[in-house]
């Protein structure tokens, strides 16, 4: 996921006190050309952000965007953050992660494939298997036979969701070389510069994008019933 600079936001739509990006220009994840995208914003949003889509002006491919809203109405329009999803297969981000069990990758790939084939019953069956496989990877066999709701509720008891942030804090100790770079006491080379941006992107996605995406998808599912 790439951030789009405020200077690449061409126009806005007015929604009450908010100005939401309407048209942006950026490198297309599909064709690689610099193009314009007119954003069709999802009508459902929460206090954190909203999702939108737009077609590339060059190749016409559809691309997904995330718009992060300002915390307060007093913030400027420049503080509305826009991110574009790079073109990837739905499971490319998980296939090469060692910690993800192979059987989870396989069943997730199968769920994606049947969904793309519009086999809705098979999508439901395999989606349940993916959820059960996710739970099993953290809880083992101790929750087998329990309702899926109970399995999901047990996840936070066996999964330290704060661990990534706790481990990150070690980088900012006064005697750490990374902190010296931030304080301009040590030069920043090209490789470390790239890693620093990766760290920022990961932190933003972990704290803002992913929770917001799960919350909004949950709310949209609820609205279907």
């Amino acid at each position: 996921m790439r951030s789009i600079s405020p200077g690449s936001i061409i126009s806005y739509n007015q929604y009450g006190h908010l100005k939401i990006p309407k048209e942006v220009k950026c490198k297309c994840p599909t064709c690689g050309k610099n193009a314009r995208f007119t954003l069709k914003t999802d009508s459902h949003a929460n206090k954190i952000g909203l999702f939108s889509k737009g077609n590339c002006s060059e190749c016409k491919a559809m691309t997904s965007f995330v718009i992060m809203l300002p915390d307060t109405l007093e913030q400027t329009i420049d503080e509305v953050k826009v991110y574009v999803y790079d073109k990837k297969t739905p499971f490319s981000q998980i296939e090469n992660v060692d910690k993800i069990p192979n059987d989870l990758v396989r069943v997730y790939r199968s769920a994606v494939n049947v969904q793309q084939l519009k086999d809705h019953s098979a999508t439901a069956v395999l989606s349940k298997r993916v959820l059960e496989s996710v739970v099993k990877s953290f809880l083992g066999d101790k929750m087998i036979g329990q309702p899926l709701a109970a399995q999901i509720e047990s996840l936070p008891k066996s999964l330290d969701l704060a661990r990534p942030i706790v481990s990150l804090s070690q980088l900012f100790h006064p005697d750490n070389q990374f902190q010296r770079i931030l304080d301009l006491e040590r030069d920043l080379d090209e490789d470390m510069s790239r890693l620093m941006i990766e760290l920022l992107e990961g932190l933003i996605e972990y704290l803002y994008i992913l929770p917001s995406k799960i919350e909004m998808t949950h709310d949209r599912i609820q609205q279907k019933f």
Side-chain angles (χ1 to χ4, degrees):
M1 189 165 57
R2 288 183 284 114
S3 174
I4 296 178
S5 66
S8 295
I9 302 175
I10 301 172
S11 61
Y12 292 84
N13 277 326
Q14 188 79 39
Y15 290 97
H17 296 285
L18 285 176
K19 287 187 175 181
I20 305 298
K22 175 184 178 181
E23 188 176 12
V24 300
K25 57 182 179 181
C26 65
K27 182 178 179 180
C28 175
T30 301
C31 68
K33 297 180 180 179
N34 289 321
R36 293 192 176 207
F37 295 84
T38 299
L39 304 185
K40 300 176 182 178
T41 303
D42 192 326
S43 59
H44 178 72
N46 62 18
K47 62 182 180 180
I48 299 175
L50 50 88
F51 295 100
S52 62
K53 294 182 180 292
N55 292 98
C56 172
S57 60
E58 299 293 329
C59 70
K60 310 305 179 185
M62 181 73 75
T63 294
S64 296
F65 295 81
V66 175
I67 300 173
M68 301 301 296
L69 302 178
D71 293 332
T72 65
L73 297 179
E74 287 73 26
Q75 289 179 283
T76 67
I77 59 175
D78 287 346
E79 292 176 275
V80 175
K81 308 297 183 183
V82 186
Y83 299 86
V84 58
Y85 279 99
D86 289 321
K87 189 69 174 179
K88 298 176 180 176
T89 59
F91 45 81
S92 63
Q93 290 181 295
I94 73 170
E95 284 190 303
N96 297 317
V97 179
D98 294 336
K99 292 183 179 180
I100 300 180
N102 290 331
D103 62 334
L104 173 55
V105 175
R106 286 194 296 269
V107 71
Y108 176 62
R109 185 189 296 116
S110 298
V112 170
N113 288 339
V114 297
Q115 189 276 329
Q116 291 177 336
L117 292 172
K118 302 187 184 303
D119 189 334
H120 305 309
S121 295
T123 301
V125 171
L126 288 169
S127 294
K128 184 177 181 180
R129 286 184 57 192
V130 170
L131 291 170
E132 292 171 339
S133 183
V134 168
V135 174
K136 182 179 179 181
S137 70
F138 291 103
L139 303 181
D141 296 331
K142 62 183 179 181
M143 293 296 292
I144 288 180
Q146 296 294 318
L148 186 57
Q151 296 183 45
I152 298 296
E153 287 175 1
S154 296
L155 266 181
K157 302 175 184 177
S158 300
L159 179 61
D160 188 356
L161 297 174
R163 183 178 178 182
I165 301 300
V166 174
S167 62
L168 179 63
S169 66
Q170 298 172 2
L171 288 175
F172 304 103
H173 288 171
D175 57 346
N176 193 288
Q177 296 300 313
F178 185 76
Q179 181 62 47
R180 292 186 61 195
I181 290 176
L182 296 179
D183 292 337
L184 302 181
E185 296 176 0
R186 177 175 173 176
D187 291 336
L188 180 66
D189 60 25
E190 182 176 351
D191 187 50
M192 183 58 73
S193 177
R194 176 181 56 81
L195 291 173
M196 188 172 291
I197 296 302
E198 285 186 17
L199 175 64
L200 298 178
E201 290 178 347
L203 187 61
I204 290 172
E205 189 162 9
Y206 181 76
L207 295 177
Y208 296 97
I209 306 298
L210 295 181
S212 177
K213 182 176 181 180
I214 292 172
E215 180 182 344
M216 283 190 283
T217 303
H218 166 269
D219 292 347
R220 292 170 68 186
I221 290 173
Q222 288 286 77
Q223 289 183 346
K224 289 289 186 179
F225 303 104

